[in-house]
């Protein structure tokens, strides 16, 4: 009898239910449900509709039942840093504000009044991003102090969904590290730091590892979806799951998790919290089995996604890639410039950057896509050199996993800019990594080495030479 495992993978623009099972030593996946996600403005804040997302989660579960493919376990991963506050009756306090909202502007200064930026990095190893949870909580403390006063729990988004399924609260480690409030030494909340910042200690839930069995569905959920299921925590940070699915067992493996964000880095056993590392803006996010994902956050395909949307989806991603490959425009932008984080118009933001820096202004869709893709590749090349400087390792290959593995033009540019052989795939890396943890927890896959070999055997890769 086939045993199915369910990965619910929710990104910033869409979510999907992916069923996985094993056939003759290979992982086989099937999409059961796909749904939209996006920010909407509520009370002047950019918010997630978590109620609707949870309805979609349950809809996908019902589709599994209707197909006669009931999973033995499931796990949910999402983006990082965003959270909800719950009162003592488990009701959400305030809005589920998204990380692209501007409420955190200026909150870094308030944090650094308590602990200077250099000391904060030395303590947590997490790169400064103005939307990190540490700054979002400061925004709540400043603008809605009543919410913090009434709060009895803080749950990051995937932890909240899994609480709704099981009635049990916990903070999964890989996502908790992105808050900038976890110690890389203790692998637990830095309660001294939390108290220094004036955040209530009581709201922080126990930190648990990926692979933890959270529990079974509540009776209410069982009645609604028509079956019971065990909830096993994956690496709930989608990048944590994606990096798990990098199909390599080499000790020194370079990767890009390429999606809305491009996360470029390596796995390490110890965090590098040095001032040099901070100066280069690297981060030490938690990984599976307490590894560290030593990486840099790069703006990523968000810029292309925004361009596509602004062009009213008149072109597919493949179409934009093809048009870009035929252009000769040489203009470049700094992908990590804050103006590209949440502009009203990505087209205008790219054009203004080029104008401000005295470069040719891209005007056609092909030129705009070309500038974005070439700029991303240039950023990848610079980041590779910095990683090699910080690790003292020369890498010959670069694995690209996630949706960006389909962007052939970008992969060719990346091979050229980095001087590395690019191995692109698998594209559904996040869902695969989610399933890997469940299967390891169930003993279907013996360990991480066996799981990564399974990914290598199960999914195709495309190769691009420099």
């Amino acid at each position: 009898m086939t045993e199915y495992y369910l990965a619910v993978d929710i990104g910033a623009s869409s979510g999907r239910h992916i069923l996985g099972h094993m056939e003759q030593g290979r992982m086989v996946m099937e999409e059961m449900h796909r749904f939209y996600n996006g920010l909407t403005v509520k009370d002047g804040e950019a918010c997630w509709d978590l109620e609707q997302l949870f309805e979609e989660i349950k809809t996908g579960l019902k589709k599994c039942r209707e197909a006669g493919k009931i999973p033995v376990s499931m796990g949910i991963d999402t983006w990082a840093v965003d959270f909800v506050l719950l009162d003592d009756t488990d009701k959400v306090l305030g809005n589920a504000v998204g990380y692209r909202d501007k409420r955190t502007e200026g909150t870094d200064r308030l944090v650094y009044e308590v602990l200077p930026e250099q000391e904060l990095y030395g303590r947590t190893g997490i790169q400064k991003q103005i939307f990190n949870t540490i700054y979002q909580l400061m925004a709540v403390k400043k603008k809605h102090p009543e919410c913090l006063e009434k709060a009895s729990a803080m749950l990051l988004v995937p932890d909240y969904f899994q609480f709704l399924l099981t009635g049990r609260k916990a903070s999964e480690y890989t996502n908790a590290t992105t808050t900038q409030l976890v110690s890389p030494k203790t692998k637990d909340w830095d309660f001294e730091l939390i108290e220094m910042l004036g955040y209530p200690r009581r709201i922080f839930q126990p930190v648990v590892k990926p692979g933890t069995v959270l529990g079974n569905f509540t009776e209410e959920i069982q009645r609604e979806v028509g079956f019971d299921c065990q909830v096993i925590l994956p690496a709930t940070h989608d990048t944590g799951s994606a990096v798990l699915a990098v199909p390599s067992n080499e000790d020194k493996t370079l990767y890009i998790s390429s999606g809305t964000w491009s996360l470029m880095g390596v796995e390490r056993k110890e965090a590098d919290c040095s001032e040099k590392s901070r100066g280069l803006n690297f981060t030490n996010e938690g990984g599976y089995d307490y590894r560290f994902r030593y990486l840099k956050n790069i703006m990523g395909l968000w810029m292309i996604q925004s361009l596509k949307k602004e062009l009213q989806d008149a072109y597919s991603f493949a179409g934009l890639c093809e048009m870009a490959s035929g252009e000769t425009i040489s203009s470049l932008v700094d992908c990590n410039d804050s103006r590209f984080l949440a502009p009203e118009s990505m087209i205008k933001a790219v054009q203004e950057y080029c104008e401000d820096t005295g470069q040719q202004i891209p005007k056609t869709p092909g030129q705009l896509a070309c500038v974005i893709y070439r700029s991303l590749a240039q950023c990848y090349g610079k980041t590779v050199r910095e990683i090699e400087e910080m690790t003292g390792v020369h890498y010959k290959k670069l694995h690209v996993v996630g949706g960006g593995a389909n962007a052939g033009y970008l992969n060719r540019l990346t091979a050229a800019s980095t001087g590395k052989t690019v191995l692109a795939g698998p594209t559904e890396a996040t869902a695969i990594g989610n399933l890997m943890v469940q299967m390891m927890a169930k003993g279907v896959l013996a360990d991480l080495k066996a799981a990564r070999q399974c990914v290598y055997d199960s999914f195709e890769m495309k190769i691009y030479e420099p």
Side-chain angles (χ1 to χ4, degrees), residues 138-174:
M138 187 59 73
V140 174
K141 182 182 175 183
K142 180 180 177 182
K143 298 176 182 178
H144 299 287
E146 72 283 358
C147 289
L148 274 184
E149 290 168 8
K150 295 177 182 177
S152 65
M154 180 195 78
L155 291 174
L156 295 170
V157 170
D159 298 326
Y160 175 59
F161 289 143
Q162 282 158 149
F163 160 68
L164 293 178
L165 290 172
T166 65
R168 297 184 181 180
K169 301 186 184 86
S171 292
E172 187 277 316
Y173 169 70
T174 67

Side-chain angles (χ1 to χ4, degrees), residues 150-212:
K150 295 177 182 177
S152 65
M154 180 195 78
L155 291 174
L156 295 170
V157 170
D159 298 326
Y160 175 59
F161 289 143
Q162 282 158 149
F163 160 68
L164 293 178
L165 290 172
T166 65
R168 297 184 181 180
K169 301 186 184 86
S171 292
E172 187 277 316
Y173 169 70
T174 67
N175 217 0
T177 63
T178 70
T179 64
Q180 211 169 350
L181 291 166
V182 168
S183 166
K185 294 180 180 178
T186 67
K187 316 296 193 293
D188 198 359
W189 298 114
D190 186 336
F191 283 112
E192 184 181 24
L193 172 61
I194 285 165
E195 290 173 355
M196 288 166 61
L197 292 165
Y199 304 153
R201 182 184 179 121
R202 66 181 180 276
I203 69 176
F204 294 89
Q205 305 304 302
V207 176
V208 298
K209 294 171 62 174
T212 297

Side-chain angles (χ1 to χ4, degrees), residues 40-100:
T40 56
V41 177
K42 181 180 179 183
D43 303 324
E45 296 177 317
C47 302
W48 303 109
D49 189 343
L50 298 188
E51 289 185 8
Q52 179 58 36
L53 288 178
F54 191 61
E55 288 301 315
E56 296 287 2
I57 290 171
K58 291 185 290 186
T59 296
L61 291 170
K62 293 172 187 176
K63 287 186 177 180
C64 292
R65 184 201 68 210
E66 291 162 4
K69 298 178 179 180
I70 295 176
V72 297
S73 71
M74 67 166 292
I76 302 172
D77 65 76
T78 77
W79 64 97
V81 305
D82 289 343
F83 60 91
V84 295
L85 296 172
L86 303 180
D87 67 13
D88 54 11
T89 67
D90 294 328
K91 297 282 179 60
V92 175
L93 293 161
N95 294 327
V97 181
Y99 63 87
R100 293 190 190 275

Side-chain angles (χ1 to χ4, degrees), residues 348-381:
K348 188 175 180 181
V350 171
Q351 290 174 332
E352 287 182 349
Y353 186 101
C354 292
E355 183 177 16
D356 293 346
T357 52
Q359 302 180 85
Q360 181 183 347
I361 299 172
K363 295 179 180 178
T364 67
Q367 287 180 336
L368 287 157
C370 181
V371 169
I372 292 170
Y373 282 128
R374 291 183 66 253
S375 299
L376 280 172
Q378 183 193 55
C379 190
Y380 297 161

Side-chain angles (χ1 to χ4, degrees), residues 3-300:
E3 285 192 341
Y4 294 98
Y5 303 83
L6 177 63
V8 180
D9 170 30
I10 309 177
S13 58
S14 68
R16 59 209 63 81
H17 288 56
I18 304 289
L19 271 181
H21 70 276
M22 297 295 291
E23 283 186 12
Q24 298 178 333
R26 295 190 176 191
M27 186 185 295
V28 178
M29 301 201 310
E30 177 183 3
E31 183 177 300
M32 302 301 293
H33 182 51
R34 184 174 286 263
F35 52 93
Y36 168 79
N37 187 27
L39 291 165
T40 56
V41 177
K42 181 180 179 183
D43 303 324
E45 296 177 317
C47 302
W48 303 109
D49 189 343
L50 298 188
E51 289 185 8
Q52 179 58 36
L53 288 178
F54 191 61
E55 288 301 315
E56 296 287 2
I57 290 171
K58 291 185 290 186
T59 296
L61 291 170
K62 293 172 187 176
K63 287 186 177 180
C64 292
R65 184 201 68 210
E66 291 162 4
K69 298 178 179 180
I70 295 176
V72 297
S73 71
M74 67 166 292
I76 302 172
D77 65 76
T78 77
W79 64 97
V81 305
D82 289 343
F83 60 91
V84 295
L85 296 172
L86 303 180
D87 67 13
D88 54 11
T89 67
D90 294 328
K91 297 282 179 60
V92 175
L93 293 161
N95 294 327
V97 181
Y99 63 87
R100 293 190 190 275
D101 187 77
K102 298 184 184 301
R103 68 173 176 168
T104 53
E105 289 181 354
T107 56
D108 50 345
R109 294 192 298 273
L110 299 175
V111 169
Y112 301 150
E113 286 175 6
V114 175
L115 193 70
E117 183 178 355
Q118 296 90 332
E119 292 182 33
L120 180 61
Y121 186 87
R123 192 164 182 140
T124 67
I126 299 298
Q127 77 179 111
K128 177 188 177 178
Q129 295 189 105
I130 194 60
F131 48 72
N132 286 350
T133 313
I134 190 173
Y135 306 112
Q136 292 201 46
L137 281 170
M138 187 59 73
V140 174
K141 182 182 175 183
K142 180 180 177 182
K143 298 176 182 178
H144 299 287
E146 72 283 358
C147 289
L148 274 184
E149 290 168 8
K150 295 177 182 177
S152 65
M154 180 195 78
L155 291 174
L156 295 170
V157 170
D159 298 326
Y160 175 59
F161 289 143
Q162 282 158 149
F163 160 68
L164 293 178
L165 290 172
T166 65
R168 297 184 181 180
K169 301 186 184 86
S171 292
E172 187 277 316
Y173 169 70
T174 67
N175 217 0
T177 63
T178 70
T179 64
Q180 211 169 350
L181 291 166
V182 168
S183 166
K185 294 180 180 178
T186 67
K187 316 296 193 293
D188 198 359
W189 298 114
D190 186 336
F191 283 112
E192 184 181 24
L193 172 61
I194 285 165
E195 290 173 355
M196 288 166 61
L197 292 165
Y199 304 153
R201 182 184 179 121
R202 66 181 180 276
I203 69 176
F204 294 89
Q205 305 304 302
V207 176
V208 298
K209 294 171 62 174
T212 297
V213 178
L214 191 62
N216 285 58
F217 288 168
T218 64
E219 291 183 4
E220 180 182 352
I221 295 296
Q222 288 180 43
R223 285 193 299 270
E224 188 168 353
V225 303
F227 64 93
D228 191 16
C229 183
Q230 198 172 59
V231 176
I232 297 176
L233 298 182
T236 61
H237 182 197
D238 51 10
T239 306
S241 279
V243 170
L244 272 166
V246 172
S248 171
N249 276 312
E250 295 181 12
D251 289 337
K252 300 176 176 64
T253 299
L254 182 66
Y255 61 78
I256 301 176
S257 173
S258 181
T260 300
W261 290 86
S262 290
L263 298 308
M264 186 174 197
V266 295
E267 283 187 314
R268 305 182 81 174
K269 294 181 180 179
E270 301 291 336
D272 184 343
C273 303
S274 67
E275 180 59 18
K276 184 175 181 181
S277 181
R278 185 192 72 83
L280 291 172
N281 213 26
F282 279 99
T283 198
N284 297 269
E285 295 176 353
Y288 182 79
D289 198 23
Y290 292 137
R291 288 168 169 80
F292 289 94
R293 290 176 284 124
Y294 188 65
L295 56 83
K296 183 172 286 192
N297 283 275
I298 300 166
M299 195 67 74

